[in-house]
Amino acid sequence: MEQVVIIGSGPAGYTAAIYAARAGYQPTVITGSVTAGGNLVNTTDVENFPGFPDGILGPELMERMAAQASRFGAQLVPDDAIEVSLGGPVKEVVTLGGLRLAASAVIVATGSSYKELGLASEKALGGRGVSYCATCDGFFFRGKEVVVVGGGDSAMEEAVFLTKFAAKVTVVHRRGELRASRIMAERALAHPQIEFAWHSVVDQIHGVEAVTGVTLRDVRSDALKPLDADGVFVAIGHTPNSELFKDQLELDRDGYIIVDGPSAPDEPGNAQHQATSLPGVFACGDVVDRVYRQAITAAGSGAQAALDAQDYLEELAAEAAIAAATI
């Protein structure tokens, strides 16, 4: 019987593990067999995480977080959760490797996955010019020419943000008009540094050590057109990794796990910001966050989830003590 099981790693899962371990709960962390560390293991330089003025490689940051969690007593299990039962007072988690865990509290930190273009060249040049986060990587493209793929609000936000650094931003969209909200579309369309390649998709990304350009394909005529570019930002959406919980936890229309959020100011004792629809189950990181999706915000919500779980476990212990005293 575990006190806390954390499903998922990355900044949210590892931070939750650090907080829970320091509180003496010795959490078991199901890190993932391949995806331990989350999306940051596929990121090169991380320059906006506090405490690293010279930046740090994404994999190294995750290794340090994992080591810190282990130091305080967290048990890291490189396996994948494939089955959960979260409805009762005792939660059950089963892994692909056959491990069966029972716990009083569960923290879900399974993150989200970037929607990809599905090109082999996209995979090969990931972290070498292909990015999924302008906030994370835009700084590295100062004075460069970049491509943003997508037509929604996220793509327009990425494009406008990148104009702070890039000399030119080309938005590639398969339709002849944007799907973005009116205000975001007008902002991008009016920007002098942003150009548009309408009715187009990225057919190929070129480069060996780094991105050097793309080939665009017109979806109406199949005509191909080369375009020089130093970077490609894919902004066609995210998929929260919540499939395992869809029949047990309340999700929003896009599959993000719904949590309580901040409580009223006059009810500090009821704060359970990361509480899900089931008692004793908490969620944090990108599996609940459709807005920020930053390492630091994920880490912050991981700390909140662990503190919420601690409050929950302390309440259980207090109730058990009262029950024992009345027998």
Side-chain angles (χ1 to χ4, degrees), residues 128-260:
R128 291 186 290 171
V130 174
S131 174
Y132 303 87
C133 178
T135 306
C136 309
D137 300 328
F139 178 82
F140 302 111
F141 294 88
R142 188 176 294 277
K144 306 288 188 178
E145 296 186 2
V146 300
V147 166
V148 172
V149 185
D153 278 352
S154 295
M156 295 310 100
E157 289 173 5
E158 298 270 277
V160 171
F161 178 83
L162 285 166
T163 60
K164 297 178 181 180
F165 307 102
K168 174 184 168 184
V169 178
T170 301
V171 174
V172 178
H173 187 41
R174 64 171 51 250
R175 297 182 177 89
E177 60 182 8
L178 298 171
R179 294 183 292 104
S181 61
R182 181 177 177 180
I183 187 170
M184 289 303 303
E186 289 177 348
R187 189 176 299 168
L189 288 166
H191 203 291
Q193 289 169 250
I194 300 178
E195 297 183 2
F196 290 82
W198 301 109
H199 302 290
S200 299
V201 295
V202 175
D203 190 75
Q204 188 65 254
I205 302 172
H206 304 291
V208 179
E209 296 299 324
V211 169
T212 57
V214 298
T215 295
L216 303 183
R217 178 173 60 83
D218 190 301
V219 297
R220 301 162 300 180
S221 65
D222 277 341
L224 299 178
K225 176 185 176 181
L227 178 68
D228 291 338
D230 302 291
V232 177
F233 288 81
V234 181
I236 56 177
H238 294 73
T239 301
N241 300 325
S242 60
E243 182 72 16
L244 184 62
F245 314 101
K246 66 178 183 179
D247 296 325
Q248 300 186 55
L249 299 179
E250 185 179 357
L251 311 179
D252 70 11
R253 68 183 185 278
D254 295 319
Y256 290 89
I257 297 175
I258 296 174
V259 294
D260 283 354

